[in-house]
Amino acid sequence: MTLLVWVPLLMPFLAVPAARRVAAALAPRHAAWLLTAVALTLAASSSAALAVLVVPGASYLPLVAVLGDLVEPLTAGPPPVAVALALAAGGLLLWRTALVAAAALRERAELRRARAAVAGTRDELAVLRDERPDAYALPGRPGRIVVTTGMLRALEPAEREALFAHERAHLRGRHHLLLVLVELAARCHPALRALREPLAYALERTADESAAAAVGDRRLAARAIGRAALATRAPLPARPGAVRAATAGPVPRRVAALLDTATAGRPVLPRTGRLVAGALLVCLAASGATAIGAADDLHTHIEIAQGETAADAAR
């Protein structure tokens, strides 16, 4: 069991670089879903592995033994090693839980403050009287496009429509939810932090393409994003950290992608990319399978420690 447990804990260091490479070759929308799925799978597997490491050492505690009806502690190597691993894994698990809870509460508080700032607006478009140019998609029921008077003055009417189409795509695609999920997953394993930047870029590119399709002019969409980015000096204090704006990310790279009509089609994975994609699938499968295998092995050890025979365990 102990050897299997280490696979989900170490696999993110291999899977994350592969996921970034595969995502770079996919259409933006597909890349965003891939990165989110990879982050959630690896976070769940590594967290499950830590939980499995806690149980053998905890079985030496009288209270745990009574609650689990254990006749003897779980057989997981020398007692000092099992107890030390349980303490380390339990500490990491509690630390992860605290980080995830703190991030979730902070995100909820930021969204509440942002919604309170536009509480008097019932339309999809909420205009804030502020000379600082800014615009962003504020999720909620209903979602709103928040724009300042400074941003409205910085853009021409056609460019405003492209900007609104971009933010509308963020709301329609529920991009905020994907960002929050990956942000929380990144709190579960340090290697997963490297997925945040490519996910943000993929979501911005998804909204860029949606805006270009909505206005029917890729050059107009590119000009709107470029001018909005040049006008924006700093985000408004009311804007939540996980809320996306058209001026976020590597804007020159996004503008270049919009002006390159070849990117309008669906990218095709080259041969090396397909090999990396296959390796990524193997990594994800191995991470999930070993976590499940370790949990199943632990269950067998628990049955043995409860005094059951092999025949009883099989039944």
Side-chain angles (χ1 to χ4, degrees), residues 226-237:
R227 291 190 63 178
L230 289 174
T232 303
R233 296 292 180 268
L236 293 179

Side-chain angles (χ1 to χ4, degrees), residues 211-235:
V215 300
D217 188 340
R218 298 178 67 82
R219 295 186 65 85
L220 172 60
R223 188 170 69 250
I225 291 167
R227 291 190 63 178
L230 289 174
T232 303
R233 296 292 180 268

Side-chain angles (χ1 to χ4, degrees), residues 53-288:
L53 278 174
V54 170
V55 179
S59 67
Y60 288 91
L61 297 175
L63 179 60
V64 175
V66 171
L67 292 176
D69 295 326
L70 302 179
V71 177
E72 58 183 23
L74 301 181
T75 56
V81 175
V83 172
L85 284 175
L87 289 174
L92 282 174
L93 205 55
L94 288 175
W95 182 49
R96 285 183 174 190
T97 303
L99 289 177
V100 170
L105 290 174
R106 182 172 60 254
E107 174 62 22
R108 184 180 180 183
E110 289 180 351
L111 284 176
R112 281 185 173 180
R113 287 196 298 270
R115 289 170 184 155
V118 297
T121 304
R122 296 186 178 182
D123 298 330
E124 179 192 43
L125 184 64
V127 179
L128 298 180
R129 295 186 178 278
D130 198 308
E131 295 301 318
R132 293 168 293 182
D134 199 8
Y136 54 90
L138 181 61
R141 296 183 180 178
R144 288 189 172 88
I145 299 171
V146 182
V147 62
T148 64
T149 52
M151 180 63 79
L152 292 177
R153 280 194 290 268
L155 301 179
E156 297 175 358
E159 294 168 345
R160 295 174 196 165
E161 290 303 317
L163 180 67
F164 297 157
H166 176 101
E167 303 301 350
R168 195 172 291 115
H170 281 315
L171 294 175
R172 186 172 57 249
R174 304 180 70 85
H175 292 171
H176 169 262
L177 179 59
L178 301 184
L179 285 167
V180 169
L181 289 175
V182 172
E183 186 65 31
L184 296 181
R187 298 294 196 279
C188 295
H189 197 288
L192 300 181
R193 298 171 188 168
L195 294 178
R196 294 183 293 193
E197 182 273 329
L199 173 65
Y201 176 74
L203 292 177
E204 290 304 324
R205 285 285 299 118
T206 301
D208 290 345
E209 292 296 332
S210 180
V215 300
D217 188 340
R218 298 178 67 82
R219 295 186 65 85
L220 172 60
R223 188 170 69 250
I225 291 167
R227 291 190 63 178
L230 289 174
T232 303
R233 296 292 180 268
L236 293 179
R239 186 207 293 182
V243 163
R244 303 313 300 164
T247 57
V251 174
R253 184 179 166 196
R254 290 166 50 202
V255 169
L258 278 172
L259 295 178
D260 184 3
T261 56
T263 61
R266 293 188 177 183
V268 178
L269 277 175
R271 182 179 179 183
T272 54
R274 291 195 293 270
L275 292 176
V276 174
L280 175 62
L281 289 176
V282 170
C283 289
L284 294 178
S287 182

